[in-house]
Amino acid sequence: ILNVEQSPQSLHVQEGDSTNFTCSFPSSNFYALHWYRWETAKSPEALFVMTLNGDEKKKGRISATLNTKEGYSYLYIKGSQPEDSATYLCAFSGNTPLVFGKGTRLSVIA
Amino acid sequence: DAGVIQSPRHEVTEMGQEVTLRCKPISGHDYLFWYRQTMMRGLELLIYFNNNVPIDDSGMPEDRFSAKMPNASFSTLKIQPSEPRDSAVYFCASRGQGGRETQYFGPGTRLLVL
C-alpha cells in the first residue's frame, strides 16, 4: 500500500511569517509529485507538478522542492497572507492514480 | 477550456431516492476520476476510467453506487437507493495520459441525503 505522509497536520502562523511543510512519499516507481491548494468549500487547485530530482518550482510567494531519492518534497510560503489559508495537499504519482496525503491545514492570522 | 464541469452543484434528496451526478471532463483528457470527500475519510477515490473504460472501482462503497462513461465527454455517478451516510461532496477530476500530467478537479457536487 502506497503511503503519502504530510506534516504537520495543521499550523497557525502570523501574517507576514514564512512557513514550510513536508510531504513524504515512496521513492520507488516515481513519476511525479503533485501539490494542490484546497480552500474550504472549493475544489483542489493544482499548484505544481514536480518530476525531476532536485526540481524547484515557484508560483508567486509559494515554492516547492523535490528529492526523489529520499522521497520528500517541501512546500514553502514566503510572507504568509490570510488568503493563503487553505489545506495543502500533496499527491504521489506512480503507475497508479494519484495517492493523496491527508494535507496540511494552514491558518494565517491577520 | 471551461475546465471540468459538474452538475448539479448542490443536491438535497430524501433517503431511498435515486441520485445522479454528472461530469464533463476537459476535452482531450483520457482519464476521469470520481472522488468523495467526507470529514472522516478525507478525499477518497471511488472509481476511475481510462478512455471511457472503468479501470478500478474498488473504492466504490457498495452496490448502491454505479458509474458509467458512455463517451469521452460525459460520465455519471449514480446512487440508488441513497442513504444519509452518502452525504458528502463528490468531485470529478480529469487528466491526460501519463502520471506527469496535471489532474484537474471539478467544482464538486454537495449531496445531502435526508
Side-chain angles (χ1 to χ4, degrees):
Chain A
I1 297 178
L2 295 174
N3 205 23
V4 177
E5 300 280 348
Q6 291 190 247
S7 63
Q9 192 173 12
S10 65
L11 74 163
H12 295 76
V13 300
Q14 293 287 331
E15 182 177 356
D17 286 352
S18 293
T19 187
N20 66 85
F21 19 94
T22 307
C23 173
S24 301
F25 54 87
S27 53
S28 58
N29 295 321
F30 177 85
Y31 275 57
L33 193 283
H34 301 243
W35 280 102
Y36 286 86
R37 181 172 177 273
W38 193 4
E39 291 183 71
T40 303
K42 294 189 176 180
S43 57
E45 173 195 353
L47 286 174
F48 306 115
V49 179
M50 310 184 75
T51 58
L52 299 174
N53 185 43
D55 241 357
E56 189 167 334
K57 298 215 170 179
K58 189 174 180 182
K59 192 174 188 176
R61 293 178 292 97
I62 304 176
S63 61
T65 60
L66 179 68
N67 183 323
T68 59
K69 292 182 179 179
E70 296 181 38
Y72 65 83
S73 176
Y74 293 134
L75 190 81
Y76 301 89
I77 302 178
K78 185 178 177 182
S80 304
Q81 299 296 309
E83 57 264 31
D84 296 328
S85 298
T87 296
Y88 291 83
L89 291 174
C90 70
F92 170 83
S93 177
N95 57 355
T96 57
L98 292 183
V99 179
F100 284 89
K102 294 192 184 304
T104 293
R105 189 178 185 88
L106 173 67
S107 297
V108 182
I109 305 161
Chain B
D1 201 315
V4 178
I5 299 171
Q6 290 187 248
S7 65
R9 296 291 303 276
H10 303 272
E11 178 83 26
V12 181
T13 191
E14 293 188 344
M15 183 173 66
Q17 296 296 306
E18 177 179 296
V19 175
T20 300
L21 311 181
R22 296 173 177 79
C23 175
K24 177 177 166 54
I26 292 173
S27 177
H29 280 188
D30 301 300
Y31 284 86
L32 183 140
F33 305 86
W34 281 101
Y35 292 88
R36 178 170 69 174
Q37 178 204 4
T38 62
M39 291 293 291
M40 297 297 291
R41 295 174 180 246
L43 193 63
E44 53 178 337
L45 177 65
L46 300 176
I47 184 172
Y48 76 100
F49 296 82
N50 181 19
N51 292 322
N52 314 338
V53 177
I55 303 300
D56 185 353
D57 66 354
S58 59
M60 297 284 260
E62 47 199 275
D63 291 346
R64 296 183 297 106
F65 285 69
S66 62
K68 293 181 180 179
M69 192 166 184
N71 57 62
S73 58
F74 184 65
S75 176
T76 59
L77 178 68
K78 188 174 290 187
I79 309 172
Q80 165 64 14
S82 58
E83 296 183 3
R85 59 193 167 121
D86 302 329
S87 299
V89 181
Y90 292 81
F91 289 104
C92 177
S94 71
R95 68 164 170 86
Q97 279 288 349
R100 297 183 177 90
E101 297 289 321
T102 298
Q103 180 172 303
Y104 295 93
F105 283 81
T109 294
R110 190 171 295 269
L111 173 66
L112 178 61
V113 183
L114 302 173

